[in-house]
């Protein structure tokens, strides 16, 4: 649990003055850590000793000790407001904003994502592999690249893996799926009609179905396991690749968990494959 979460949970236990300081921290933690005690007290409408007392109630020696912990919590990825870009932003500013927004998305997912869907999805994939079934990955647009990455990751494990980004091929592939197969659909919005139709066909054929998509999307309602991939992208000024990055990381988590569950045999296979690639493709 990070420091801000702890403050939220213990808010009712503070005195009136301490609650005012706590609210000031929660409203803008970055600004709080930069202000002197006199300014903090003035903004919270309390005395300077009340600010120090708030810090000590939480178990810190004083304001400086509290600020050190607050800075550490912020660096660990406490959620912050999305930073919109503007026409006059310099390269230096854009580097900060674009990367901060991407890092925020990943850390928010790390801090809030439910583990159960990941566990369930890994079990469905392992079950398909155990039955010599196929792993099929669907994606459209940017998500198509993620589907190809997933195909690559699982192919390296020796699995029968295939990726499709064309709607026509997705419908045909779904029509040929069976009960031993597992379909993983990656979609930012989860609204593509081809993906929805292909998912329905695969599900009716008995294939296991997993979706990495936004909460509340039409696709999320159609599958056995939904891994929520929510993020705050804003498209009015630029189109970032935050969704692709988030989806790639989720696939990476899934692939790692499956590799661990499959055990030593697949790890030896992957080590041998890596050695052969190094021996044949790269100069020594």
């Amino acid at each position: 649990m990070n420091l801000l979460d702890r403050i939220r949970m213990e808010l009712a236990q503070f005195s009136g003055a301490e609650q005012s300081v706590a609210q000031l921290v929660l409203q803008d933690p970055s600004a709080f850590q930069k202000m002197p005690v006199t300014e903090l007290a003035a903004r919270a409408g309390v005395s300077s000793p009340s600010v120090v007392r708030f810090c000590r109630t939480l178990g810190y020696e004083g304001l400086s000790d509290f600020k050190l912990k607050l800075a550490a919590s912020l660096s660990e990825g406490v959620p912050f407001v999305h930073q919109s870009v503007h026409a006059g932003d310099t390269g230096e500013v854009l580097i900060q904003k674009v990367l901060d927004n991407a890092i925020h998305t990943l850390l928010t997912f790390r801090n809030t994502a439910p583990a159960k869907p990941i566990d369930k999805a890994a079990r469905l994939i392992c079950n398909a592999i155990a039955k010599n079934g196929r792993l099929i990955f669907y994606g459209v647009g940017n998500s198509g690249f993620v589907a190809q990455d997933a195909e690559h990751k699982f192919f390296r494990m020796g699995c029968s893996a295939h990726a499709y980004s064309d709607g026509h091929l997705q419908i045909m592939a779904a029509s040929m799926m069976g009960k031993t197969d597992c379909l993983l659909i990656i979609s930012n919005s989860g609204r593509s009609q081809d993906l929805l139709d292909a998912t329905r066909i695969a599900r009716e054929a008995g294939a296991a179905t997993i979706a990495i998509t936004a909460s509340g999307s039409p696709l999320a309602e159609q599958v056995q396991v939904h891994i929520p991939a929510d993020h705050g992208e804003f498209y009015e000024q630029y189109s970032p690749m935050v969704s692709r990055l988030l989806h790639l990381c989720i696939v990476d988590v899934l692939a790692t968990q499956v590799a661990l569950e499959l055990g030593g045999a697949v790890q030896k296979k992957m080590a041998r494959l890596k050695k052969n690639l190094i021996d044949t493709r790269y100069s020594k």
Side-chain angles (χ1 to χ4, degrees):
M1 180 189 301
N2 64 52
L3 179 56
L4 295 187
D5 288 336
R6 181 186 168 196
I7 292 172
R8 290 187 189 96
M9 288 185 63
E10 298 180 10
L11 192 60
Q13 302 174 26
F14 299 131
S15 68
E18 290 170 353
Q19 283 191 15
S20 297
V21 180
Q23 293 289 3
L24 190 62
V25 177
L26 296 175
Q27 287 169 10
D28 194 343
S30 295
F32 186 97
Q33 67 171 340
K34 299 173 184 176
M35 284 187 266
V37 65
T38 51
E39 185 175 355
L40 291 171
R43 293 200 179 197
V46 301
S47 66
S48 295
S50 294
V51 176
V52 177
R53 193 160 48 247
F54 161 78
C55 300
R56 289 177 176 167
T57 298
L58 285 168
Y60 299 99
E61 294 179 4
L63 181 59
S64 296
D65 189 28
F66 173 78
K67 283 184 174 181
L68 285 174
K69 178 58 180 176
L70 180 60
S73 292
L74 292 175
S75 69
E76 290 169 1
V78 175
F80 54 87
V81 177
H82 176 94
Q83 301 179 84
S84 295
V85 300
H86 304 287
D89 286 345
T90 64
E92 181 181 1
V93 172
L94 289 176
I95 287 171
Q96 178 180 330
K97 286 184 176 181
V98 173
L99 293 184
D100 278 358
N101 289 341
I103 292 167
H104 166 241
T105 295
L106 296 180
L107 289 173
T108 299
F109 180 82
R110 183 201 68 179
N111 295 337
T112 62
K116 286 185 178 179
I118 298 285
D119 292 334
K120 290 180 180 178
R123 283 198 294 272
L124 288 180
I125 292 171
C126 286
N127 185 55
I129 294 171
K131 295 179 179 178
N132 294 317
R134 295 172 299 161
L135 302 181
I136 313 295
F137 303 97
Y138 285 177
V140 176
N142 289 327
S143 299
F145 294 105
V146 183
Q148 291 176 10
D149 180 74
E151 176 190 31
H152 177 74
K153 282 185 170 67
F154 285 92
F155 182 77
R156 286 189 305 172
M157 296 183 202
C159 306
S160 176
H162 309 274
Y164 300 98
S165 57
D166 177 87
H168 188 63
L169 290 176
Q170 289 169 350
I171 296 291
M172 288 196 295
S175 302
M176 293 183 280
M177 289 183 197
K179 295 181 179 179
T180 60
D181 299 325
C182 180
L183 172 63
L184 174 60
I185 312 103
I186 303 118
S187 175
N188 187 32
S189 68
R191 296 190 183 94
S192 166
Q193 192 58 51
D194 283 338
L195 283 180
L196 293 172
D197 289 341
T199 301
R200 174 183 53 78
I201 293 168
R203 191 184 66 242
E204 291 173 352
T209 52
I210 305 163
I212 299 173
T213 188
S215 298
S217 73
L219 180 60
E221 304 299 321
Q222 283 206 17
V223 294
Q224 289 172 260
V225 178
H226 167 225
I227 301 174
D230 301 311
H231 54 86
E233 284 188 355
F234 294 83
Y235 294 105
E236 71 276 7
Q237 301 211 39
Y238 77 114
S239 181
M241 295 295 102
V242 173
S243 60
R244 185 200 297 184
L245 184 60
L246 176 59
H247 296 161
L248 284 169
C249 288
I250 295 172
V251 169
D252 213 22
V253 171
L254 270 177
T256 302
Q257 184 166 348
V258 169
L260 291 173
E261 291 189 17
L262 292 178
V266 72
Q267 292 171 32
K268 289 179 182 178
K269 186 183 299 181
M270 292 173 70
R272 185 170 64 251
L273 182 151
K274 186 174 182 179
K275 181 179 183 303
N276 287 336
L277 285 174
I278 292 173
D279 289 346
T280 58
R281 295 187 65 190
Y282 306 111
S283 60
K284 296 181 180 179

